[in-house]
Amino acid sequence: MKNVNAINFNRITNDGFIGFHNNVATAAASINLKDVRSQLDAYKATIGKFSDYTTSVAEAAAKKGASEQDSKRTVAFRNFRGTVKVLTGSLDQQRSALAKEIWEYVKGYGNAGSVDQKSLTGIIESVIANVQAVISKEEYAGALAGSELELAFNALKEVQGAFAEANQTRAEERRIREETTSKNLRNDCISAFRQLINFAQYNAATKGDESCMAFIDKVNVFIANSRSLYKARAKARAKAREGATPEPRDAAALALPVNAAAGVAEGRINAA
């Protein structure tokens, strides 16, 4: 009987995974049995959900972040910049000189709220580093202590630190949530794939349906292509790592034995 070969879906990238299943769904449309329609529709639906999800995640990743802390640091940066500008006119010559030197680093950022989070992070981190270098100069010893500038600078450093921490936490939570959802949607695709394969193998074995036999042949070609790609990637990674241990070899093709009396195909495809 015709069997579908083994494939390790965990070793296929998201794009490759979607492409593989789209190819299988397209090939399944050539099966000349009306009973395949409902299974094929369900299969296509699961592929579509996974594809839509991966697209939405990619688009949302650039937009999400620790928005509350981001708003606070925008305010803190504007306050710091405004304080520096005011102190450039201070009657205290030492503080005025300090503020004027710092002003050179912040005067170009008049509308910090108009930039994205990543860009604002770069701006603030650069400003903090430059200001830290300026205030550490010997000629400004004591000029910062107790001033409005010190309060504004400390507030800016504090909120930037809070943003970095919140952003890291949010990113980790999102990563875990997205991995779980992605895994579940992948498993839905694999489950629908297995049902379709069971259907094709059963009808090929018990009814000698030629369209199912042709479909199985096409699927095995898709599997061979996918396996060659992920094996090539594994070899490339192994070459890039000194002393890397080879990745486990795929199992041989796993047959799905047919129980003709029950009218169902039993067994599984290696998709672990």
Side-chain angles (χ1 to χ4, degrees):
M1 62 174 285
K2 281 187 175 292
N3 296 310
V4 170
N5 295 332
I7 181 169
N8 188 338
F9 284 121
N10 281 348
R11 297 174 68 183
I12 303 177
T13 64
N14 283 345
D15 287 343
F17 184 88
I18 293 168
F20 173 86
H21 287 290
N22 278 332
N23 286 337
V24 173
T26 299
S30 64
I31 295 177
N32 297 320
L33 296 170
K34 64 179 182 179
D35 293 343
V36 75
R37 179 49 52 192
S38 60
Q39 291 193 41
L40 183 53
D41 288 345
Y43 183 35
K44 288 180 177 179
T46 62
I47 300 168
K49 287 180 181 179
F50 180 70
S51 178
D52 290 345
Y53 179 74
T54 56
T55 300
S56 66
V57 166
E59 292 174 347
K63 299 177 182 178
K64 290 183 179 179
S67 56
E68 182 179 352
Q69 293 299 332
D70 183 53
S71 298
K72 288 182 179 180
R73 69 179 183 155
T74 300
V75 172
F77 182 76
R78 285 174 174 168
N79 182 54
F80 174 71
R81 183 178 179 279
T83 300
V84 172
K85 185 176 183 180
V86 169
L87 287 179
T88 58
S90 174
L91 296 178
D92 185 316
Q93 292 185 354
Q94 191 181 38
R95 287 186 175 176
S96 175
L98 173 61
K100 287 178 180 178
E101 189 164 347
I102 294 174
W103 179 246
E104 293 302 311
Y105 293 109
V106 299
K107 65 181 181 180
Y109 304 119
N111 188 12
S114 66
V115 299
D116 57 52
Q117 291 183 7
K118 186 175 181 180
S119 297
L120 185 57
T121 293
I123 291 171
I124 293 178
E125 288 180 348
S126 175
V127 166
I128 289 175
N130 286 320
V131 171
Q132 202 69 55
V134 171
I135 63 179
S136 65
K137 291 182 178 181
E138 187 176 345
E139 62 263 35
Y140 297 131
L144 190 69
S147 68
E148 301 95 327
L149 184 60
E150 181 183 42
L151 293 175
F153 186 49
N154 287 341
L156 179 63
K157 290 189 293 183
E158 182 179 347
V159 75
Q160 175 61 19
F163 170 81
E165 183 177 347
N167 200 40
Q168 182 175 352
T169 300
R170 183 79 60 86
E172 180 62 16
E173 291 174 349
R174 186 168 66 243
R175 182 189 66 78
I176 294 172
R177 183 173 61 253
E178 289 172 356
E179 282 185 356
T180 300
T181 302
S182 178
K183 181 179 179 180
N184 290 338
L185 290 173
R186 267 183 169 248
N187 286 340
D188 287 344
C189 291
I190 294 169
S191 178
F193 170 75
R194 285 173 171 164
Q195 291 179 25
L196 185 61
I197 295 306
N198 285 346
F199 174 87
Q201 291 192 152
Y202 169 72
N203 284 284
T206 62
K207 300 179 181 179
D209 186 85
E210 293 184 1
S211 63
C212 287
M213 293 180 187
F215 167 69
I216 293 171
D217 287 339
K218 290 178 182 177
V219 172
N220 281 334
V221 171
F222 301 149
I223 288 175
N225 290 339
S226 294
R227 288 177 62 177
S228 65
L229 287 173
Y230 64 62
K231 286 183 176 181
R233 285 197 300 270
K235 287 181 180 179
R237 288 194 298 269
K239 286 183 179 180
R241 299 191 301 263
E242 275 192 22
T245 55
E247 296 194 15
R249 295 179 62 187
D250 291 321
L254 298 181
L256 295 181
V258 174
N259 181 341
V264 296
E266 298 172 343
R268 68 182 182 85
I269 294 173
N270 174 24

